[in-house]
Amino acid sequence: MKISHKWLKNYIDLEAEPEEVKEKLTMLGLEVESVDYPGEKFKNFYVGEVLEVSKHPNADKLTVCRVRVGKDTLQIICGAPNVAAGQKVPVALVGAVIPRNQHDPEGKPFVLTKAKIRGVESYGMICSEFELGLGDDKEGIMVLEPNAQVGQPLAEYFGLDDVIYDISVTPNRPDCLSHIGVARELAVAFGLKLKKPEFKVVESDKRITDYASVEIIDTLNCPRYAARVVLNVKVEPSPKWLQDYLRAVGLRPINNIVDITNFVLYEVGHPLHAFDYDKLAGHKIVVKCANDGEVFITLDGKARVLRKDTLMICDAEKPVAIAGVMGGANTEITDETKNVLIESAYFNPISIRRTSKYLGLSTDASYRFERGADPEAVIWAVNRAAQLMAEIAGGEVLQGVIDVYPVEIKPKVVSLRFSRLNSVIGFEFSQDDVVKILEGLELEILNRDEKSLTVKVPTFRVDIEREIDLIEEVARVYGYDRIPDKMRSVVHFSTEKVKVDFHNFVRERLIGAGFKEVVTNSMLDEEKASLLGENFVKVLNPLSREMSALRTSLIPSALDVVKHNFGYGVKNLKFFEIGKVFRLAFDEDEKPRYVDNYVEEERLLILMTGVAEPVSYDLGERIFDIYDLKGEVENLFRGIFLENYRFIYYSNNSDIAELEIGIEIGGKYAGRLIKVGDEILNKFDIKADIYIAEIDFDLLCKNSRFEERHYIELPRFPSVFRDLAFVVDESVPVGEVENAIKEKAGAVLKSIRLFDIYRGERIGEGKKSVAFSLEILSKEKTLTDEEVNELIQKVVKYVEQKFEAKLRSY
Amino acid sequence: MINQIEEVKKKFLEEIETVKDEKQLEEFRVKYLGRRGIIQTLFDKLKEIPREEKPTIGKFLNEFKELAQIKFDEKRKEIESGKRKVGELVDLTIPGRFKYTGRKHPLTQTLEEIKKIFVAMGFEIASGPEIEDDYHNFEALNIPPEHPARDMQDTFFIKENIILRTHTSPVQIRVMESKQPPVRIIAPGRVYRNEAISARSYCLFHQVEGLYVDEGVSFAELKGTLLSFAKQMFGSSVKLRFRPSFFPFTEPSAEVDVSCFICGGKGCRVCKYGGWLEILGCGMVDPNVFKFVGYDSEKYTGYAFGMGVERIAMLKYGIDDIRLFYENDFRFLEQF
């Protein structure tokens, strides 16, 4: 909200510099987002008077003017056709920055210098509206009002010699949404006195009750409604001072009547509305709710569909305004308006908020009503507006105010214990300081003893209801920066076993293996969500169609990462993500941990694409394959002490995978390793082999043996190594041969490693040779050659029988 | 005899240079230093020479044997370590074999730093769901329906009363529902806001929530705790500024600025020449919140705070566009 420094000075004797005001406001909780000096752009611009105009000796279209600016008279060359002696004009002096250059296609600003134009010197410039940035008129110079004061700084003439604070007011402080409200805070902070404007309404002897009446049907949503009637107003543009005030805070002047209601709004914070009295049927106001589906045209010309909970202001026949939000076109003030009814009411914040929300219509009025207006400001505000209408628009204010106020809203009474204040804040306040602060905020001390005090809270402070609210006020005004930083604390020793930071544990393993970590959006489009999981969760009000569902898998966003990096020529990628996926529970037996039937699970994704090792000069380029992925996954498992896993080998392609290996951990399905299928790759417009593993993170944590690591005595005898190569049919899976060897060799086989697969003429078509290295170790003794040979013979025989294999070498 | 030894020595030194691998080395060893090798035969011959020449020749032979052994050991080491002699055309300027380098995401690194500091101060780690109900996200945090404070956070809805959490504060409620004071936790997590995406805001980000409830917890202690955090996080010379603010679930509430650690508070582009950087929101837990979780607000007081991980990471590393975090450009990730 914009607050004008000049305007504030009407209510407090503010002498502080703008920077100091900004600092004070910020430290009071009224955060100043920016400080604007609107007059700065007119530095070196003054009001001048054209004394004499003569033809330029060397140019037909130019004139040589003598212009008085203060004490000096300057010679200025002017090209405008409308320049004439006697005019008051805006003059830029040498050094001024002309906001817009008429001769530049982009209108860029420029610095004015002393110039010789066709042989005649020019010491300034008479400006057009366009050049001043005040309008689009380039045709001639701007002519100021005849009574303009020669030599006055132009900023002052335009009322721009001001400082505008843009304040972000928190929702609990509607009382600060006005100049008087902000002035009150500054008064407390600077120790000044708040001067509320004093005035007397000059009334005619015609009684308002003979001219208008008000009836509140919905007293819950409209606890108070007051009105005044002003007759015989002259609707016209507001005087300059009023227009200047409104422009300063970013409002557009409309006409004197509307401008006065806006002025009062920004002065005291209470929204008013002016009706064309003659258009109010029966000269009557009725406050009640609308009919469902009723259509109403607001004064912005838009048709609004009402609901049965929409509070309306009606006349004897029809609705005339959406209460507290916006008036209707049917009764708005026009140039023909003669008589005005001013509304000043207090509406229920919840009702106004609901209406403003569903209409999608937030106005200066609704913004204040929904945060809580001051029921006590109703009469002051209507009187202020009526008096201004009399002064400015020449109206006749009828005698009396209609004030319908069925149930009075009483000021709250709240107590504060000094001991509580001190213990919550952690600081001993002086009781006198406390009293001074509360009184400064216009809280009336009803009672005070050495332990506590009781205050009456003015109705404009809707945020003060409880003791803690008073504690906040004291701390806030006293100054948070004056409260000490207590650098010690009582820490209760935990009796919970420290959990291993498993996320970090897994992360560090993967980083060591050369993976980068990514963090991706958990929202994606529905098609991608459904592609990789059932029961996906939709977002009702997404930002865009691309983010209308929650991810069921980390795969789609990982492919987006691939796509992004490919776009920048980064083709070799190894990365991982640990993130949540979401879905609806599959059935009633599945009890989600938290909310409703929504399931959140954490997953680990690993992705590899590109060349397996960064290219070097002597090793050939090798593209990642499924075994690289399988190896990384098994490496990770080994690293985190996870042993109870099993791979499931699928022979069929699925929609998304060209190759797929399932993972079972602790007997539960835990995820899969895939080579991503073309159908998916086409959707993401990716042309490369992509290998992805996606694994349930919870199962990783639960099955890691990390917490149960236990020393096993080291073998006291050396291992014996033997190599075995078999020729088998191409169709025999290597894994099965390996398993058969393990099975037959039994416990003495400490490890087995595939070290060669060979295909070639020497072996025969449709055959392959698979070679393993076996590590044999007995816990009891050093095995003799004979014992090892015997074991190997047993294994060879078994494998030969089982797979119709032939021992190739030993 | 001496001449004979000299000849053997010359041959030995010539031949050892031609040894290239272990096999040749072994052959060489057998030939010269073996049990029936040349050097041993020379010793055998020593018996045959005149007694008076024995000391001189014996000494000479022994010296040769020692030299041979040293040369042989050197050679063996050279071969075992694959080391070649300088000048033998090894181009050491050829680049080393590169491996892919892993990196933690800058958000993870920032979060880990934050966690470490608070854990050392005695905070435990808590978590909660991202799909949250209205009660935990708003109502129990003293934000009733129709309250203007709901405008402070634009919400994504899943269905009536179910939303994507707009802050990590609901974890406060869940923790307090599950245990009695003392409670001292931080809760890191992802939160969502229905706001247009720009360089300054994204539809989701990460927060760290903090909560401490016990007897006698005060605002002064909150100030001290956060000051200690800021000094550990940003440097021991930073200052904090507590500005009064409003959050429905704390009172008194404050927004906290840290003195700009880039320019030291003098004013720069990052702090927009103001000298301060806003880093977190905090306050004393509102008694209404205690009412919702069934804590006695006369007996207990507490403080809560919340900070944005992205915000802190951006300040720390000078990142000017929040979207970079979620793009995962490898050229970006490589920098952290």
PDB file of all heavy atoms in Angstrom, chain B residues 302-319:
ATOM      1  N   GLY B 302       6.975 -21.895  23.598  1.00  0.00           N
ATOM      2  CA  GLY B 302       7.857 -22.475  22.597  1.00  0.00           C
ATOM      3  C   GLY B 302       8.119 -21.488  21.485  1.00  0.00           C
ATOM      4  O   GLY B 302       7.429 -20.485  21.361  1.00  0.00           O
ATOM      5  N   TYR B 303       9.134 -21.806  20.719  1.00  0.00           N
ATOM      6  CA  TYR B 303       9.357 -20.991  19.525  1.00  0.00           C
ATOM      7  C   TYR B 303       9.380 -21.878  18.296  1.00  0.00           C
ATOM      8  O   TYR B 303       9.555 -23.099  18.385  1.00  0.00           O
ATOM      9  CB  TYR B 303      10.627 -20.148  19.634  1.00  0.00           C
ATOM     10  CG  TYR B 303      11.946 -20.884  19.752  1.00  0.00           C
ATOM     11  CD1 TYR B 303      12.465 -21.614  18.672  1.00  0.00           C
ATOM     12  CD2 TYR B 303      12.707 -20.807  20.915  1.00  0.00           C
ATOM     13  CE1 TYR B 303      13.688 -22.266  18.775  1.00  0.00           C
ATOM     14  CE2 TYR B 303      13.935 -21.447  21.022  1.00  0.00           C
ATOM     15  CZ  TYR B 303      14.416 -22.181  19.953  1.00  0.00           C
ATOM     16  OH  TYR B 303      15.618 -22.810  20.043  1.00  0.00           O
ATOM     17  N   ALA B 304       9.136 -21.263  17.149  1.00  0.00           N
ATOM     18  CA  ALA B 304       9.161 -21.981  15.877  1.00  0.00           C
ATOM     19  C   ALA B 304       9.830 -21.076  14.854  1.00  0.00           C
ATOM     20  O   ALA B 304       9.808 -19.851  14.985  1.00  0.00           O
ATOM     21  CB  ALA B 304       7.753 -22.318  15.428  1.00  0.00           C
ATOM     22  N   PHE B 305      10.455 -21.700  13.875  1.00  0.00           N
ATOM     23  CA  PHE B 305      11.030 -20.908  12.778  1.00  0.00           C
ATOM     24  C   PHE B 305      10.983 -21.720  11.505  1.00  0.00           C
ATOM     25  O   PHE B 305      10.806 -22.941  11.533  1.00  0.00           O
ATOM     26  CB  PHE B 305      12.473 -20.480  13.097  1.00  0.00           C
ATOM     27  CG  PHE B 305      13.399 -21.618  13.408  1.00  0.00           C
ATOM     28  CD1 PHE B 305      14.021 -22.328  12.382  1.00  0.00           C
ATOM     29  CD2 PHE B 305      13.658 -21.989  14.724  1.00  0.00           C
ATOM     30  CE1 PHE B 305      14.883 -23.381  12.668  1.00  0.00           C
ATOM     31  CE2 PHE B 305      14.523 -23.042  15.020  1.00  0.00           C
ATOM     32  CZ  PHE B 305      15.128 -23.742  13.990  1.00  0.00           C
ATOM     33  N   GLY B 306      11.075 -21.037  10.388  1.00  0.00           N
ATOM     34  CA  GLY B 306      11.081 -21.729   9.102  1.00  0.00           C
ATOM     35  C   GLY B 306      11.935 -20.962   8.115  1.00  0.00           C
ATOM     36  O   GLY B 306      11.911 -19.734   8.088  1.00  0.00           O
ATOM     37  N   MET B 307      12.715 -21.699   7.350  1.00  0.00           N
ATOM     38  CA  MET B 307      13.574 -21.020   6.363  1.00  0.00           C
ATOM     39  C   MET B 307      13.544 -21.778   5.042  1.00  0.00           C
ATOM     40  O   MET B 307      13.284 -22.977   5.012  1.00  0.00           O
ATOM     41  CB  MET B 307      14.998 -20.903   6.884  1.00  0.00           C
ATOM     42  CG  MET B 307      15.693 -22.224   7.105  1.00  0.00           C
ATOM     43  SD  MET B 307      17.279 -21.982   7.928  1.00  0.00           S
ATOM     44  CE  MET B 307      16.788 -22.062   9.648  1.00  0.00           C
ATOM     45  N   GLY B 308      13.778 -21.064   3.974  1.00  0.00           N
ATOM     46  CA  GLY B 308      13.772 -21.662   2.646  1.00  0.00           C
ATOM     47  C   GLY B 308      15.183 -22.104   2.266  1.00  0.00           C
ATOM     48  O   GLY B 308      16.119 -21.315   2.331  1.00  0.00           O
ATOM     49  N   VAL B 309      15.317 -23.362   1.879  1.00  0.00           N
ATOM     50  CA  VAL B 309      16.645 -23.878   1.529  1.00  0.00           C
ATOM     51  C   VAL B 309      17.139 -23.235   0.227  1.00  0.00           C
ATOM     52  O   VAL B 309      18.302 -22.853   0.111  1.00  0.00           O
ATOM     53  CB  VAL B 309      16.619 -25.418   1.390  1.00  0.00           C
ATOM     54  CG1 VAL B 309      18.011 -25.950   1.067  1.00  0.00           C
ATOM     55  CG2 VAL B 309      16.087 -26.059   2.656  1.00  0.00           C
ATOM     56  N   GLU B 310      16.233 -23.103  -0.754  1.00  0.00           N
ATOM     57  CA  GLU B 310      16.622 -22.475  -2.023  1.00  0.00           C
ATOM     58  C   GLU B 310      17.156 -21.066  -1.795  1.00  0.00           C
ATOM     59  O   GLU B 310      18.185 -20.683  -2.325  1.00  0.00           O
ATOM     60  CB  GLU B 310      15.415 -22.392  -2.975  1.00  0.00           C
ATOM     61  CG  GLU B 310      15.145 -23.661  -3.761  1.00  0.00           C
ATOM     62  CD  GLU B 310      14.403 -24.709  -2.955  1.00  0.00           C
ATOM     63  OE1 GLU B 310      14.234 -24.521  -1.726  1.00  0.00           O
ATOM     64  OE2 GLU B 310      13.975 -25.714  -3.535  1.00  0.00           O
ATOM     65  N   ARG B 311      16.392 -20.316  -0.984  1.00  0.00           N
ATOM     66  CA  ARG B 311      16.774 -18.936  -0.696  1.00  0.00           C
ATOM     67  C   ARG B 311      18.208 -18.876  -0.143  1.00  0.00           C
ATOM     68  O   ARG B 311      19.032 -18.095  -0.591  1.00  0.00           O
ATOM     69  CB  ARG B 311      15.771 -18.359   0.311  1.00  0.00           C
ATOM     70  CG  ARG B 311      16.172 -17.059   0.945  1.00  0.00           C
ATOM     71  CD  ARG B 311      15.549 -15.884   0.258  1.00  0.00           C
ATOM     72  NE  ARG B 311      16.026 -14.631   0.822  1.00  0.00           N
ATOM     73  CZ  ARG B 311      16.428 -13.610   0.095  1.00  0.00           C
ATOM     74  NH1 ARG B 311      16.370 -13.676  -1.216  1.00  0.00           N
ATOM     75  NH2 ARG B 311      16.850 -12.512   0.647  1.00  0.00           N
ATOM     76  N   ILE B 312      18.479 -19.737   0.830  1.00  0.00           N
ATOM     77  CA  ILE B 312      19.794 -19.713   1.460  1.00  0.00           C
ATOM     78  C   ILE B 312      20.870 -20.170   0.465  1.00  0.00           C
ATOM     79  O   ILE B 312      21.933 -19.558   0.371  1.00  0.00           O
ATOM     80  CB  ILE B 312      19.784 -20.553   2.750  1.00  0.00           C
ATOM     81  CG1 ILE B 312      18.950 -19.807   3.791  1.00  0.00           C
ATOM     82  CG2 ILE B 312      21.203 -20.809   3.258  1.00  0.00           C
ATOM     83  CD1 ILE B 312      18.730 -20.522   5.078  1.00  0.00           C
ATOM     84  N   ALA B 313      20.545 -21.214  -0.316  1.00  0.00           N
ATOM     85  CA  ALA B 313      21.521 -21.687  -1.306  1.00  0.00           C
ATOM     86  C   ALA B 313      21.795 -20.589  -2.339  1.00  0.00           C
ATOM     87  O   ALA B 313      22.930 -20.386  -2.763  1.00  0.00           O
ATOM     88  CB  ALA B 313      21.013 -22.953  -1.988  1.00  0.00           C
ATOM     89  N   MET B 314      20.753 -19.871  -2.735  1.00  0.00           N
ATOM     90  CA  MET B 314      20.922 -18.817  -3.737  1.00  0.00           C
ATOM     91  C   MET B 314      21.833 -17.717  -3.204  1.00  0.00           C
ATOM     92  O   MET B 314      22.727 -17.235  -3.898  1.00  0.00           O
ATOM     93  CB  MET B 314      19.566 -18.234  -4.147  1.00  0.00           C
ATOM     94  CG  MET B 314      18.770 -19.169  -5.037  1.00  0.00           C
ATOM     95  SD  MET B 314      17.075 -18.623  -5.310  1.00  0.00           S
ATOM     96  CE  MET B 314      17.289 -17.599  -6.760  1.00  0.00           C
ATOM     97  N   LEU B 315      21.600 -17.343  -1.945  1.00  0.00           N
ATOM     98  CA  LEU B 315      22.431 -16.304  -1.342  1.00  0.00           C
ATOM     99  C   LEU B 315      23.869 -16.792  -1.197  1.00  0.00           C
ATOM    100  O   LEU B 315      24.813 -16.093  -1.531  1.00  0.00           O
ATOM    101  CB  LEU B 315      21.880 -15.919   0.028  1.00  0.00           C
ATOM    102  CG  LEU B 315      20.510 -15.229   0.035  1.00  0.00           C
ATOM    103  CD1 LEU B 315      20.039 -15.029   1.467  1.00  0.00           C
ATOM    104  CD2 LEU B 315      20.591 -13.892  -0.692  1.00  0.00           C
ATOM    105  N   LYS B 316      23.999 -18.005  -0.708  1.00  0.00           N
ATOM    106  CA  LYS B 316      25.317 -18.556  -0.428  1.00  0.00           C
ATOM    107  C   LYS B 316      26.176 -18.679  -1.684  1.00  0.00           C
ATOM    108  O   LYS B 316      27.350 -18.373  -1.673  1.00  0.00           O
ATOM    109  CB  LYS B 316      25.115 -19.935   0.196  1.00  0.00           C
ATOM    110  CG  LYS B 316      26.212 -20.349   1.127  1.00  0.00           C
ATOM    111  CD  LYS B 316      25.844 -21.674   1.780  1.00  0.00           C
ATOM    112  CE  LYS B 316      27.081 -22.469   2.083  1.00  0.00           C
ATOM    113  NZ  LYS B 316      27.941 -21.925   3.113  1.00  0.00           N
ATOM    114  N   TYR B 317      25.553 -19.152  -2.764  1.00  0.00           N
ATOM    115  CA  TYR B 317      26.340 -19.393  -3.973  1.00  0.00           C
ATOM    116  C   TYR B 317      26.173 -18.297  -5.031  1.00  0.00           C
ATOM    117  O   TYR B 317      26.720 -18.407  -6.120  1.00  0.00           O
ATOM    118  CB  TYR B 317      25.946 -20.735  -4.595  1.00  0.00           C
ATOM    119  CG  TYR B 317      26.167 -21.934  -3.694  1.00  0.00           C
ATOM    120  CD1 TYR B 317      25.103 -22.743  -3.321  1.00  0.00           C
ATOM    121  CD2 TYR B 317      27.443 -22.248  -3.223  1.00  0.00           C
ATOM    122  CE1 TYR B 317      25.299 -23.852  -2.502  1.00  0.00           C
ATOM    123  CE2 TYR B 317      27.644 -23.345  -2.403  1.00  0.00           C
ATOM    124  CZ  TYR B 317      26.570 -24.141  -2.046  1.00  0.00           C
ATOM    125  OH  TYR B 317      26.765 -25.223  -1.237  1.00  0.00           O
ATOM    126  N   GLY B 318      25.338 -17.298  -4.728  1.00  0.00           N
ATOM    127  CA  GLY B 318      25.135 -16.230  -5.714  1.00  0.00           C
ATOM    128  C   GLY B 318      24.352 -16.681  -6.934  1.00  0.00           C
ATOM    129  O   GLY B 318      24.596 -16.214  -8.045  1.00  0.00           O
ATOM    130  N   ILE B 319      23.401 -17.588  -6.735  1.00  0.00           N
ATOM    131  CA  ILE B 319      22.569 -18.068  -7.849  1.00  0.00           C
ATOM    132  C   ILE B 319      21.403 -17.095  -8.032  1.00  0.00           C
ATOM    133  O   ILE B 319      20.741 -16.752  -7.061  1.00  0.00           O
ATOM    134  CB  ILE B 319      22.055 -19.494  -7.536  1.00  0.00           C
ATOM    135  CG1 ILE B 319      23.238 -20.452  -7.401  1.00  0.00           C
ATOM    136  CG2 ILE B 319      21.070 -19.973  -8.599  1.00  0.00           C
ATOM    137  CD1 ILE B 319      22.906 -21.780  -6.765  1.00  0.00           C
TER     138      ILE B 319
END
